Amino acid sequence: MITATFIFNLIVFFVISGFILDRILSWLNSRNWKDKVPAEMENVYDQEKYRKAKLYDRAHTNFSLWSSIYGLSLILCMLFFNGFAMLDEWVRVWIDHTYYTPLIFFGLLMLASDLLNMPFSVYSTFVIEAKYGFNKTGPLLFVVDKIKSWLLGALIGAPILAFLVWVYETFGSSFWIGAWIVMSGLAIFISMFYTSLIVPIFNKLKPLEDGELKSAIQVYCREVGFNQSNLSVIDGSKRSTKSNAYFSGLGPRKQIVLFDTLIENQEVEEIVAVLAHEIGHYKLKHTRISLLLSIIQTGIMLFLLSLVLDNTKLGLALGTENMSFHIGLIAFALLYTPVSTITGIFMNMLSRKNEYEADSFATRTFNGLHMINALKKLSVDNLSNLNPHPAYVFVHFSHAPILDRIWAIKREAA
């Protein structure tokens, strides 16, 4: 018979084993650096730059170790000292309401978590990223970003949580069907309008200026049948010198975004190659397939949640007899961790496959050599790990390692 004690021990086991797995993978990854620059990268990486990339990776590994220990300590304290139950009781003293109680409970929990982790966020931004020449975020921008993220989280999260509570109270264990429909609609909406509605809250988007680059892009877009008006430039340089580009949206809301740092650091042909890669994601339906799989995962998760949410043993495992929607949701989230890890691995596998296919599209429709040069410069600009451990790649990487992508492009072009 499954008891509350068993559930509690299972949660603790999942939390600790997840920490141990992550630390082992990070250790393997940090030890996999080679002493010399790989032959394929010698034309863009000198030994000093390579040493800097290695030190940058080591700094992040050490930082991740201590921040993970800190995070593990916090969650274990919440579990062993009935922190979730205490917070629930404290909120109920002030307001015991079907909808307001879970909203305040999660609001306080998220705010406390963010504040408790603030020193690590500050250290990462203003010490590590600044030391290696990446950070452009000032203290004022850092604070403004935090406030904006809190407000955005409240504006989006509160209605979603209130709806979930309402549909649970109304339909009981079959609530997952209505919740799945609405959550799926929300996922589609965010996918379509993320760049046009969410991104401008934090960054400025503008059309690409007239010039050689725009002309080259117009020629390529006409060749592959992509509307060049769906291209924007983002002021990524206001926070970091790192370069990037991404594709988002569906149908008429599709959008390709180039970082201004990418335009500054790359040649025209290399930027067009990066653009070709992003267009490849659209032409090969990668975004739509990933969205569909994400919706299916959400449905499975909500169904499993509906099977256990009424179980009072979940509440007892967290130290309270007052079983409620939000307490059950916390317990389920902790128990669901192994499942989310496994689904995350499969989604990363799919994402890496998509990256190879987008590289192949760019090679076939534009130029593989320019794509290779673009990838090389991106790795230098971002001080990427050129030799990540295969196990770490398998679990954590949504993009294949740079060298693997270069070799695949060469095979495609041969």
Side-chain angles (χ1 to χ4, degrees):
M1 180 179 178
I2 297 178
T3 65
T5 301
F6 175 81
I7 294 175
F8 174 84
N9 290 334
L10 193 62
I11 290 174
V12 172
F13 172 76
F14 286 160
V15 169
I16 294 177
S17 59
F19 168 82
I20 292 174
L21 173 63
D22 194 52
R23 290 301 94 212
I24 291 174
L25 290 175
S26 293
W27 178 78
L28 290 173
N29 196 50
S30 66
R31 290 178 59 86
N32 208 52
W33 278 84
K34 305 297 187 271
D35 292 332
K36 295 183 178 180
V37 180
E40 294 84 352
M41 305 295 290
E42 287 179 345
N43 62 324
V44 292
Y45 255 111
D46 58 33
Q47 198 62 38
E48 180 58 29
K49 192 77 171 182
Y50 184 69
R51 188 184 74 86
K52 184 179 180 181
K54 187 174 182 179
L55 292 174
Y56 178 64
D57 181 77
R58 183 180 300 171
H60 264 291
T61 300
N62 292 336
F63 172 80
S64 176
L65 171 63
W66 290 109
S67 61
S68 296
I69 291 174
Y70 178 73
L72 176 67
S73 301
L74 289 178
I75 188 65
L76 290 179
C77 285
M78 292 292 287
L79 291 170
F80 280 100
F81 296 102
N82 298 329
F84 296 111
M86 291 172 61
L87 177 60
D88 179 53
E89 292 174 6
W90 185 83
V91 172
R92 289 180 186 278
V93 169
W94 294 96
I95 183 167
D96 192 358
H97 189 274
T98 302
Y99 301 109
Y100 296 147
T101 299
L103 290 175
I104 296 174
F105 175 87
F106 277 112
L108 291 174
L109 193 63
M110 296 300 103
L111 180 61
S113 175
D114 207 27
L115 290 174
L116 287 171
N117 284 284
M118 188 79 73
F120 288 93
S121 181
V122 170
Y123 185 85
S124 175
T125 301
F126 295 103
V127 177
I128 296 179
E129 295 300 302
K131 179 179 179 180
Y132 291 92
F134 292 127
N135 180 52
K136 295 295 181 182
T137 304
L140 178 60
L141 181 59
F142 181 87
V143 173
V144 170
D145 280 348
K146 278 294 180 184
I147 295 174
K148 286 181 178 179
S149 64
W150 292 339
L151 293 175
L152 187 63
L155 289 173
I156 296 177
I160 293 174
L161 179 60
F163 169 78
L164 290 176
V165 175
W166 174 82
V167 76
Y168 172 71
E169 294 291 332
T170 304
F171 299 102
S173 60
S174 61
F175 85 98
W176 72 275
I177 300 174
W180 187 25
I181 293 172
V182 172
M183 294 293 285
S184 298
L186 181 63
I188 294 172
F189 178 83
I190 291 177
S191 178
M192 290 182 67
F193 294 98
Y194 169 77
T195 298
S196 57
L197 294 181
I198 305 298
V199 172
I201 297 174
F202 298 93
N203 290 90
K204 292 181 180 179
L205 291 167
K206 63 179 182 180
L208 182 64
E209 296 178 355
D210 292 337
E212 181 185 2
L213 174 60
K214 185 173 182 178
S215 298
I217 288 176
Q218 287 174 333
V219 170
Y220 175 77
C221 287
R222 283 196 297 268
E223 291 176 352
V224 296
F226 184 83
N227 188 351
Q228 190 260 332
S229 65
N230 298 118
L231 174 66
S232 297
V233 178
I234 189 172
D235 60 339
S237 59
K238 70 185 291 186
R239 290 181 179 83
S240 175
T241 62
K242 292 182 178 180
S243 302
N244 201 0
Y246 69 88
F247 176 88
S248 70
L250 299 170
R253 306 302 305 186
K254 62 182 178 292
Q255 189 84 358
I256 290 179
V257 178
L258 303 176
F259 280 48
D260 55 357
T261 48
L262 179 76
I263 295 174
E264 180 181 346
N265 297 335
Q266 304 260 5
E267 301 295 331
V268 169
E269 294 82 2
E270 295 159 357
I271 298 171
V272 177
V274 172
L275 175 73
H277 171 96
E278 299 302 330
I279 291 177
H281 284 307
Y282 166 71
K283 291 289 186 178
L284 300 172
K285 301 179 174 61
H286 292 158
T287 303
R288 281 166 279 184
I289 294 172
S290 296
L291 177 61
L292 176 62
L293 291 176
S294 176
I295 289 173
I296 293 173
Q297 287 182 43
T298 300
I300 294 173
M301 181 190 68
L302 288 170
F303 173 71
L304 294 176
L305 175 63
S306 71
L307 298 179
V308 301
L309 200 53
D310 286 330
N311 193 331
T312 57
K313 293 175 184 177
L314 292 180
L316 292 173
L318 295 186
T320 180
E321 296 180 355
N322 296 321
M323 186 58 182
S324 59
F325 179 87
H326 52 280
I327 289 293
L329 193 57
I330 288 288
F332 175 79
L334 293 169
L335 289 170
Y336 191 74
T337 302
V339 180
S340 62
T341 299
I342 293 171
T343 56
I345 289 174
F346 280 107
M347 290 301 289
N348 280 339
M349 291 173 63
L350 175 64
S351 178
R352 291 194 296 270
K353 175 177 175 292
N354 290 346
E355 293 303 317
Y356 281 125
E357 291 177 352
D359 285 343
S360 175
F361 180 89
T363 300
R364 287 183 284 106
T365 62
F366 188 63
N367 187 290
L369 179 60
H370 292 318
M371 188 69 221
I372 288 174
N373 290 336
L375 288 174
K376 287 182 176 181
K377 287 186 178 180
L378 281 170
S379 70
V380 175
D381 292 342
N382 300 335
L383 295 181
S384 303
N385 185 346
L386 299 179
N387 300 109
H389 194 278
Y392 192 89
V393 171
F394 179 74
V395 175
H396 290 298
F397 271 37
S398 61
H399 289 52
I402 293 292
L403 292 180
D404 291 353
R405 292 174 65 182
I406 290 175
W407 294 331
I409 292 171
K410 287 183 176 180
R411 290 193 296 270
E412 177 78 24

